[in-house]
Amino acid sequence: MWVDDPELLQRIAEFPSACVVVSKQPRSKRHVERLRKVAEAVKDAAGFPVRAFSELEDLRFYQGGKAPLLGPGSPQEYIRLPALRTLGYRKVGEHLVPILHTKMMLLGELWWHGEDGLGGVADVTGFTPHRLWLSSANGTESSRRSLEFGLWLEDAGLLKAARRFLVEVLAHSQELDPDSDGLEPDLVVPDYDDEAMWEAMVALADYDADEHDSEDDA
């Protein structure tokens, strides 16, 4: 349910790009102190770029509790998710809640190039999975004293399925210690100012037409 093994946290923090999602933790005194130590261990970690996954690149963080409104002049955002995030329901009292009980890691290549699919100049980032780690260990310090099992897999079908699953986990995840006790992601599909977008397209079309007429006159 948690990741508190010091060596594992150090590896996560040192990795060029990494994001680990764990079950949302309670806020008892013991859990709060545990959370503080974990957060401190990864405070300088690089995190992971959202745009590496095409399914997530259009998502934005809520602004003032609402989906942000984007128009033609809105700046492009390059969101990096922190190295540790949470998912699920916070356990309050003695009531049991569903937990993220999947112990898996998808290792791959984070790549970049400067050309889109049509040959135009673009800032393109992607992720190609290479190996999938499945294990019984929780990533806790105490798991080192247990008899655990793990294996690497490279089957193309499993890599594809794992990528799809983990992208969904990231899409529905929250910050490390959110105020919410429930399953409300802090990433959302933004709203678009359709009228402003249309006006910008018309203005661009008129500009292109004027440029074309000027070239013909010359």
Side-chain angles (χ1 to χ4, degrees):
M1 292 176 61
W2 197 232
V3 178
D4 65 1
D5 181 81
E7 185 176 349
L8 179 57
L9 286 170
Q10 181 182 355
R11 295 294 185 181
I12 294 171
E14 293 174 349
F15 219 70
S17 295
C19 182
V20 178
V21 182
V22 297
S23 282
K24 190 179 298 179
Q25 298 298 293
R27 278 181 167 169
S28 67
K29 183 178 180 180
R30 177 174 63 88
H31 283 94
V32 169
E33 176 59 20
R34 195 177 182 187
L35 174 67
R36 186 192 64 78
K37 292 180 180 179
V38 170
E40 178 66 21
V42 296
K43 65 181 178 64
D44 296 324
F48 195 90
V50 169
R51 60 187 176 135
F53 298 114
S54 58
E55 302 93 329
L56 305 180
E57 61 181 349
D58 292 332
L59 298 182
R60 298 290 186 271
F61 286 113
Y62 278 98
Q63 295 180 0
K66 298 180 180 180
L69 180 65
L70 303 185
S74 299
Q76 189 171 9
E77 291 190 42
Y78 298 105
I79 297 174
R80 290 189 76 92
L81 295 177
L84 282 180
R85 288 174 65 78
T86 55
L87 178 74
Y89 301 90
R90 180 177 285 116
K91 182 180 178 181
V92 179
E94 297 302 318
H95 297 287
L96 294 177
V97 296
I99 62 174
L100 180 63
H101 204 246
T102 308
K103 297 97 169 180
M104 62 191 303
M105 176 177 68
L106 192 61
L107 183 67
E109 176 189 5
L110 188 66
W111 49 263
W112 174 90
H113 64 74
E115 185 176 294
D116 61 22
L118 300 177
V121 177
D123 187 3
V124 182
T125 301
F127 176 80
T128 301
H130 290 310
R131 304 178 78 191
L132 172 66
W133 172 257
L134 298 179
S135 170
S136 62
N138 287 328
T140 57
E141 186 174 13
S142 61
S143 67
R144 291 181 179 272
R145 299 188 293 272
S146 303
L147 181 61
E148 304 284 2
F149 172 79
L151 74 164
W152 285 106
L153 298 167
E154 298 180 357
D155 178 82
L158 285 175
L159 293 179
K160 183 178 180 179
R163 179 194 180 280
R164 183 168 60 247
F165 172 76
L166 290 176
V167 166
E168 285 293 315
V169 169
L170 289 176
H172 290 87
S173 65
Q174 297 172 277
E175 60 182 330
L176 186 57
D177 187 30
D179 290 332
S180 167
D181 292 334
L183 187 66
E184 294 93 19
D186 52 20
L187 289 169
V188 64
V189 177
D191 291 327
Y192 292 95
D193 190 335
D194 295 332
E195 184 175 350
M197 291 286 194
W198 176 254
E199 291 175 354
M201 292 175 62
V202 171
L204 182 60
D206 290 343
Y207 175 80
D208 289 342
D210 291 342
E211 286 289 304
H212 182 71
D213 290 342
S214 298
E215 293 175 358
D216 290 344
D217 293 340

